Amino acid sequence: MANEANRDRRRRLYRARLDTLERELNPLYDMYWRRAHQVALELGYSSYEDMFAEIKAMNHGVFYGEVQSFVQETNSLYQRQLDKLVRQRLGVSLSDLEMSDVPYLFRAPEYDRYFSTERLLPTLHATLAGLGIDPLAQHRVHMDTEARPNKSPRAFCAPVRVPDEIYLCVMPHGGQDDYQALLHESGHAQHFAHVRPDQEFEYRCLGDNAVTEGFAFLFDHLPYNPLWLQQYLGYADAADYVRFGYISELFFIRRYVGKFVYELQLHRQNDGLDGMAKAYSAALSDALMIEVPPEHYLADVDPGFYVGSYLRAWFLEAAMRMILQTEYSKAWFRNPGAGEWLRAAWSMGQKHNSPQLLLKLGGGKLNADPLRFFIEGVLGR
């Protein structure tokens, strides 16, 4: 659907997908989530939500208030900027936007010429070199760039043995999405490859995944930095693209807030899943200001309450970026001192959860303020 210009065809494709999901997959997801909730009770927790609140040392009630405040404080900005983008790209207003339009809305092929396939890997290597970082981390990171049948078209990181055997798998095809995906997964790879080998297994391989996601976000946000775009891609006067990127990011952050609100309800259920489809649609529609169909209410849920990890990672990334810009300038990505800072942070693995890590790195309380600062700096208030 991302490349389908015909709106009616997008609608039909989306409807067919929803019908298949409801008919074929939702019965399986229903069994899965009922059993997952039951296992949490068998382990002595009051709910699946309660279990992961303890595992991740995360007060979901407090965090709910924080993310809801973020949504409320960005409502006007989000509505104004998204409506403008929708009118420009689709010729309709925000009130007429449908979920079947969203992949096409954010595809933006006009920017592809700046993100060529040929420059993808050299750009990654040059970025890491600017930080004084070996892209292969002394042969601990194994780059799989071979084109093979049925190979995943999207980059991913597989930390097989941390820190000694990390795989970064990529099949370059170019475009802004490809660059961000590779940078994101490279952030994971460099994090895992630089963990101190004498760290306990739990700190090397387990812990708060908001930490590794925060490092991944730090790298995948580089294409929103005009200085990085100009230095490594020769993309000058990129204000329109950067603005587009921040609108896209705000959309997806708010989507995850909607998911978090919904999953709090879902994972407190112990006696069935009745009403959850309606709750899913209501929570996401409210966050996105778009009518979201209910059919994804079980498929659009990651195990382990990972939605909370992603949201905390967005907060952590913005806070770390603020520290790096303060210490090393907005061009921190070409300063070996920033590379040393990153290596020191990476070496801890996930010994500390995201709020603790931020304090150790010299930041303050983990919250949405730095994230909102960067978004409003580009999009206004």
Side-chain angles (χ1 to χ4, degrees):
M1 288 185 292
N3 292 307
E4 178 53 65
N6 185 291
R7 196 180 193 201
D8 287 336
R9 182 167 171 78
R10 289 200 301 269
R11 284 193 184 112
R12 293 196 300 273
L13 289 168
Y14 190 66
R15 184 69 257 171
R17 177 181 178 179
L18 293 179
D19 290 344
T20 302
L21 174 63
E22 181 68 17
R23 182 180 65 252
E24 303 292 341
L25 296 180
N26 276 352
L28 301 177
Y29 283 123
D30 184 277
M31 289 190 291
Y32 173 88
W33 284 115
R34 287 176 188 271
R35 182 57 187 146
H37 289 174
Q38 183 61 36
V39 168
L41 298 179
E42 292 171 2
L43 291 173
Y45 293 94
S46 63
S47 66
Y48 187 89
E49 180 266 332
D50 177 49
M51 179 171 71
F52 279 98
E54 178 177 312
I55 290 172
K56 298 191 174 187
M58 186 174 182
N59 187 320
H60 290 150
V62 171
F63 195 67
Y64 170 86
E66 293 174 352
V67 295
Q68 284 289 67
S69 293
F70 174 84
V71 165
Q72 292 166 9
E73 291 165 1
T74 59
N75 270 339
S76 177
L77 162 64
Y78 172 78
Q79 185 174 22
R80 181 177 67 253
Q81 292 289 348
L82 187 59
D83 181 70
K84 182 179 179 181
L85 182 70
V86 171
R87 290 178 186 274
Q88 288 175 342
R89 302 187 67 81
L90 303 181
V92 300
S93 67
L94 176 57
S95 61
D96 294 321
L97 184 66
E98 301 173 14
M99 284 301 293
S100 57
D101 297 319
V102 170
Y104 184 73
L105 174 68
F106 290 120
R107 172 63 182 86
E110 66 269 26
Y111 298 120
D112 284 354
R113 66 184 186 274
Y114 300 108
F115 299 90
S116 69
T117 304
E118 296 75 22
R119 299 180 67 174
L120 178 62
L121 291 174
T123 297
L124 171 64
H125 292 168
T127 298
L128 292 172
L131 288 162
I133 294 171
D134 175 5
L136 302 183
Q138 289 77 49
H139 305 291
R140 294 190 298 275
V141 176
H142 304 270
M143 293 280 290
D144 176 6
T145 61
E146 180 187 13
R148 297 188 299 274
N150 301 320
K151 183 179 180 181
S152 171
R154 191 166 180 84
F156 68 90
C157 172
V160 175
R161 290 189 302 122
V162 178
D164 297 317
E165 188 179 356
I166 314 298
Y167 291 89
L168 181 57
C169 187
V170 59
M171 190 159 70
H173 55 78
Q176 52 163 330
D177 290 342
D178 204 22
Y179 274 65
Q180 282 197 289
L182 178 61
L183 287 164
H184 183 98
E185 299 306 327
S186 181
H188 282 308
Q190 294 301 321
H191 173 213
F192 292 127
H194 284 88
V195 175
R196 280 173 38 204
D198 60 345
Q199 289 275 24
E200 291 85 347
F201 170 84
E202 292 84 352
Y203 300 149
R204 286 185 287 115
C205 301
L206 302 177
D208 178 8
N209 283 335
V211 171
T212 192
E213 294 295 349
F215 290 125
F217 280 152
L218 190 63
F219 275 75
D220 80 26
H221 278 68
L222 285 171
Y224 297 161
N225 185 325
L227 298 176
W228 184 89
L229 288 168
Q230 184 163 10
Q231 173 153 347
Y232 291 115
L233 301 183
Y235 187 2
D237 192 22
D240 286 345
Y241 172 72
V242 172
R243 189 177 303 109
F244 166 80
Y246 272 96
I247 296 170
S248 174
E249 177 175 51
L250 183 56
F251 176 92
F252 285 102
I253 293 170
R254 290 175 64 101
R255 189 178 106 76
Y256 269 76
V257 172
K259 279 165 53 69
F260 182 81
V261 170
Y262 162 67
E263 290 185 32
L264 277 180
Q265 301 175 64
L266 173 70
H267 293 318
R268 287 171 176 167
Q269 298 293 311
N270 290 328
D271 54 358
L273 303 175
D274 293 344
M276 288 298 98
K278 184 177 180 180
Y280 171 83
S281 178
L284 272 80
S285 298
D286 183 61
L288 295 177
M289 301 184 186
I290 306 170
E291 184 176 347
V292 177
E295 285 85 352
H296 278 96
Y297 77 108
L298 297 177
D300 190 18
V301 180
D302 294 317
F305 223 93
Y306 210 86
V307 61
S309 297
Y310 275 128
L311 286 168
R312 286 213 291 194
W314 263 303
F315 292 2
L316 178 63
E317 182 280 329
M320 291 194 296
R321 190 179 359 152
M322 188 169 283
I323 293 170
L324 286 166
Q325 290 193 3
T326 300
E327 295 292 326
Y328 303 103
S329 85
K330 291 183 179 180
W332 61 267
F333 54 84
R334 60 189 181 204
N335 191 318
E340 286 293 332
W341 186 93
L342 285 169
R343 278 192 288 268
W346 290 335
S347 72
M348 293 182 273
Q350 295 190 151
K351 181 176 183 178
H352 308 287
N353 65 24
S354 44
Q356 293 167 344
L357 176 64
L358 182 57
L359 289 173
K360 289 192 72 68
L361 295 176
K365 179 182 177 183
L366 184 70
N367 58 40
D369 290 347
L371 180 60
R372 194 168 60 250
F373 169 83
F374 284 115
I375 291 172
E376 291 176 351
V378 173
L379 301 180
R381 300 190 66 176

